[in-house]
Amino acid sequence: MDKKDEYIAYVEECLNTVKPNYLSYDKYPFEEANVGREDCYFWNLATMREYAQKAGIPLWTYMQCGDQWYLKEDTEKYWPNEWQFDWQVNTNLAFGVQGLQFYTLIEYPNSAVAESQRFDSYRSGLIGIQGNKTQWYHYAQEINQHIKAIDHVLMNSVNKGVIASGEKATWATS
């Protein structure tokens, strides 16, 4: 059994045992280990969509709000940036995701430790460790306004599939 088969067996067992009201999962496309692995990101989205549809429940996913989880060094740039954040939200909506969650909502202490100061309160989460609003807070506010403007379309839409194109779209056939 390969890793994909093990993962699918895990999802099936979870759905059959727990019988949740919705299927929620996370896969962070801009986490350093996942950069350039868009095939894995899209395979995950397609698989979760398929199993949520089979179970007749909505699909929810987590949006990545930072990636400096355990980075102790100082950094000048935080990611995902705004276009990456919006891309993540929009790809999830294209796959029929009905609930967006944010990881992390509030920055936790271990992800805030920095070299030149006790805490870097802008490194992760919508809300930094000092109670401040981060760049992702503002990105979420902005994309939520966009979603609100097209909500009447999204709420009356049904995802029937996604057309894949390009060299990285091998997830559709593998």
Side-chain angles (χ1 to χ4, degrees):
M1 185 182 282
D2 71 7
K3 286 186 178 192
K4 286 182 178 180
D5 291 334
E6 286 179 22
Y7 187 69
I8 288 171
Y10 167 77
V11 171
E12 287 174 334
E13 184 175 344
C14 178
L15 290 171
N16 292 330
T17 304
V18 177
K19 299 189 185 336
N21 294 326
Y22 57 89
L23 177 57
S24 174
Y25 84 104
D26 64 349
K27 183 68 174 172
Y28 304 118
F30 301 106
E31 205 169 35
E32 191 172 0
N34 294 328
V35 172
R37 305 268 340 266
E38 292 82 8
D39 56 330
C40 186
Y41 173 74
F42 285 116
W43 179 86
N44 236 281
L45 259 173
T47 301
M48 293 299 103
R49 182 193 67 211
E50 176 186 344
Y51 282 90
Q53 287 175 336
K54 283 181 182 178
I57 56 177
L59 176 60
W60 294 11
T61 59
Y62 278 89
M63 301 299 102
Q64 180 178 346
C65 300
D67 184 32
Q68 296 75 22
W69 317 124
Y70 298 105
L71 180 70
K72 305 290 187 242
E73 298 84 28
D74 290 337
T75 183
E76 292 180 22
K77 293 183 180 179
Y78 303 111
W79 59 90
N81 61 31
E82 188 170 13
W83 77 261
Q84 292 168 323
F85 185 88
D86 291 354
W87 177 87
Q88 180 183 202
V89 168
N90 286 310
T91 55
N92 278 273
L93 293 175
F95 273 79
V97 168
Q98 294 173 307
L100 302 176
Q101 301 162 284
F102 300 94
Y103 185 84
T104 64
L105 174 62
I106 300 172
E107 181 178 37
Y108 53 93
N110 286 348
S111 73
V113 175
E115 273 181 327
S116 65
Q117 55 190 330
R118 182 169 181 216
F119 293 118
D120 179 348
S121 62
Y122 292 92
R123 185 173 285 210
S124 68
L126 296 181
I127 307 297
I129 195 168
Q130 304 293 337
N132 55 290
K133 297 172 184 173
T134 67
Q135 67 188 46
W136 302 286
Y137 176 91
H138 299 290
Y139 300 166
Q141 292 293 307
E142 181 99 9
I143 198 75
N144 285 340
Q145 289 303 312
H146 170 70
I147 293 169
K148 185 177 177 181
I150 61 170
D151 185 57
H152 63 286
V153 174
L154 292 172
M155 290 295 114
N156 292 301
S157 299
V158 176
N159 177 278
K160 296 288 187 178
V162 175
I163 298 171
S165 67
E167 292 177 22
K168 292 279 187 173
T170 57
W171 60 270
T173 57
S174 58

